[in-house]
Amino acid sequence: MATIDGRPAQYGITLKQLREVMEHRGREGVAKIIEFGGVGELCRKLYTSPNDGLSGSRSDIDHRRETFGSNVIPPKPPKTFLTLVWEALQDVTLIILEVAALVSLGLSFYKPADEDAPVLQEEDEHHGWIEGLAILISVIVVVFVTAFNDYSKERQFRGLQSRIEGEHKFSVIRSGEVCQISVGDIVVGDIAQIKYGDLLPADGCLIQSNDLKVDESSLTGESDHVKKGVDIDPMVLSGTHVMEGSGKMIVTAVGVNSQAGIIFTLLGAAVDEQEAEIKKMKKGGEDGRAPVKNMDIDSLPPSDGLKSDSDGNHIQQTSSAVESSHKKEKSVLQAKLTKLAIQIGYAGSTIAVLTVIILIIQFCIKTFVIEEKPWKNIYANNLVKHLIIGVTVLVVAVPEGLPLAVTLSLAYSVKKMMKDNNLVRHLDACETMGNATAICSDKTGTLTTNRMTVVQSYICEKLCKVLPTLNDIPQNVGNLITTGISVNSAYTSNILPGVNPGDLPNQVGNKTECALLGFVQGLGVKYQSIRDEITEDKFTRVYTFNSVRKSMGTVIPRSNGGYRLFSKGASEIMLKKCAFIYGHDGTLEKFTRDMQERLIREVIEPMACDGLRTISVAYRDFVPGKAAINEVHIDNEPNWDDEENIMTNLTCLCVVGIEDPVRPEVPDAIRKCQRAGITVRMVTGDNINTARSIASKCGILRPNDDFLILEGKEFNRRIRDTNGDIQQHLIDKVWPKLRVLARSSPTDKYTLVKGIIDSTVSDNREVVAVTGDGTNDGPALKKADVGFAMGIAGTDVAKEASDIILTDDNFSSIVKAVMWGRNVYDSIAKFLQFQLTVNVVAVIVAFIGACAVQDSPLKAVQMLWVNLIMDTLASLALATELPTPDLLLRKPYGRTKPLISRTMMKNILGQALYQLFIIFGLLFVGDWILDIESGRGQDLGAGPTQHFTIIFNTFVMMTLFNEINARKIHGQRNVIEGLFTNPIFYTIWIFTMISQVIIIQYGKMAFSTKALSLDQWLWCIFFGIGTLVWGQLITSVPTRKLPKILSWGRGHPDEYTDAMNLGEERFDSIDSDKKPRAGQILWIRGLTRLQTQVIGGELQERLIPVPYSKSNTDQAVRFLQLSSLCYYCFVLETN
């Protein structure tokens, strides 16, 4: 018989049987497991030990992987480069250009039969095709550049996604040792430890559990937490969140065989099926299908992907839910960019259309009215050339380089931020952080080191400022304290020796529990030997810690009958539950109200004022026989669900003060935030005195400031009206001065964050960042503009809800995120300042040129080259500037401040005036000044002239030198500063300059240029350098005196959501009469490509669906539910 690692190779249960087991829930699940002989027998069939787990040998793990599959869900293959090229070709303006270029090409070879046709020079006949070909080549270059950018972006995102995936680790038991392994390494048969806050990476059956509650909404759609237990519902599923309690499970299904995996497989099949269906419908669109009107969602056929069970755990998706699932909250920058893109686009298209109309009218009047010539086929060529000029104006006007600038800037920043311990999960969080005006931070682990130690204790009416020894404590009290702490802590909390002999011990698990376990060790007792004696399976009941209880309790059987309850928690809460206390020499005393108040006043408050977290340990005995004064007599097992009566009349054993020192770098980081105009608030569950002490040490509270420090209860009292409802106007009275919120619940944190974001008290609206580590911080992290989760102490649920993960749990990393965020915002503003100057000049020159000289001084190919300079090359150059500390010396922009400030608009208009003056000067009198042949009034077939070549060259020189000006957007005079610290910038600048020389000297017919002499080159460069001198003059003009109307791109996400949803073809109403016009959709789709392409749309859809990443399962379920709706919407569209 074949063996693997000393055991039979054939398992006692098959993959199919395991999948069947996991399809049952509740009592059915219990019955199914009993059919297989119980969980113990299941472990034996899978050759694993409930206590020691798998051996962990390579051959065993590999064999399990081969038999039951690995714990990964294969990603959708990435789009190929050719697919991306095809997608880039779908751009409407490019299609128009391609068609026009092809027509132009065809007409250049067309020789009309009419004899009256003017005889063109032989050379022109030879070169007539060059312009059409040059435009086609330019379009191909643009397409390939776009496709390459998309391709590299996709690769970067996949790299980022796999990094996030790699961060997800899980606790399993192998060879009797608890170890953290990557979720991809989990195999069937592993014994996994599950605890509060975990995101389950595989399906399993519970072996043991304590007060376990799971959020299965990602799979079932039901928001209620499901109670799990070996006897009530032992099945735990991948992709679900542990909201309370702890336990141990045997892994029974992984990867595509798990419940989440099955849904992903269905999702993949549904996507392929739907894509095929849409293609089929596009081909056979005219099959006489009637349009669907006023369709009711309930009438849709149900999807086969999910079967609803008898418990009613099915998804109820109402139309409003469908609607809301379509709408995405847009980031601050996205909103401003959208408005700007739409405004620029409308202006550009208007001028483009006018240019074409004027050119065609002038040509028609001159040819057919004044010269009275009859129509000839050759004139079609003239009309096509006029159309090409118009389309080129549109190409130059629409800032399609913007998505590239945004993406490059974000991707570059994200890469660099990883080195600064910021793992960015959502790209737009990067730039939003630059606008942050408020940070609501946790205390523990973020502002403090999260390395906790007990430094003071109060036992038997004796306050010790140093650690006592076991001999200082009465024996009976000492035994109760050490047993109570050892047993009433999660068994995943441990103190391990340091890696090197001199290192501090390594605290694993909950840090507060580790501090208490360290206290037990300090008393000279080995907590592990107590745990070995009282194993977890002996526990009668566990009341796990949560934000409502603020305490934890464990019930164990007593050796001589009955039960003992150990409890620990926040001291002021625990003391209210205590009726007895041990006095001098361990004598039991009644704990009166006066004693409680004295203890709080003389012990707990002084500890808290020293910045210590105070924890009380207490116990209670339930005995079958005669009960002592502090015991309870019982005849039967108490009702453990009656928590209120169980957790009362406790006996207080001790109060300890736990120190968690402030991180040394935090006060300086908070000073930087305050200097940068960011208000830091501490939101903590700790005692108000502890919070005040730590906030003062950090610098959140400054001596002369007018600030508020509130407890959760008082905060709620102030913000609620007489009916108990939260009122925004009441929150607005509290939050501006609030600096510390103590004893707060996660709901308080969410309320505060929402209140600040929704407030309109400040002019520019607040942008709020939040840090969190607990499962219950999820709502606040999601609501915040930027949610920071702790990479070390954070639960999986918090990480899933966050935008950025702090891999070192350190507040100073947030300051680095602010700096990078501001840099992104500034990089995009620099690019806009540069690009809009070029846009304004190119469009006006083409328009006025068309009106005045019946030709555009800048030819189509030349404009496409300028477009390449200002789009791809400039975005590369300006988007890769490194951040400087100066970024933290200005106030944040906030939510509604215009994207283009008055200073930027002053630079744009000022430079545009200079450039237009030079270009029109050269156009109308340049031939006379420079003594060259005029290019005005030339025939359509005439070759290039030096006159128009000088205009083109001067324009490019001014554009290039203005790129140096564009590096500064806040009115700084020294535009050269930091130029040589950015090699990308000066490399691109030099490359562009060399390319321009080649184009001018050797471009000839292809670029409509004629070689220039040295004198003419010097004139062009002289005019170019003039932009730097002119820039200094513009800087001298005081910005404050300019009208506010000059600031542009003011925006708030809510205002433009509808416009963006048009661009993404998302319509709230299915009624055809309410649909936007096709032209509108086409236009906005083209313009808002930067949303879908850059921040979350197309690209995020192309990402790997990471197993169990943020609401992936929700999306899968929602997709299956909505696929038929999409189908009908498409039918409606096509009809």
Side-chain angles (χ1 to χ4, degrees), residues 65 391 446 587 849 1049 1112:
R65 226 172 251 142
V391 174
T446 314
T587 53
N1112 252 332

Side-chain angles (χ1 to χ4, degrees), residues 965-983:
N965 274 331
R967 292 181 62 252
K968 305 291 175 190
I969 53 171
H970 297 297
Q972 300 98 317
R973 283 199 177 277
N974 187 359
V975 292
I976 307 293
E977 185 190 2
L979 179 69
F980 297 104
T981 59
N982 185 359

Side-chain angles (χ1 to χ4, degrees), residues 38-51:
V39 181
E41 185 57 32
L42 195 63
C43 291
R44 275 191 288 281
K45 285 178 191 290
L46 289 168
Y47 304 117
T48 184
S49 157
N51 294 321

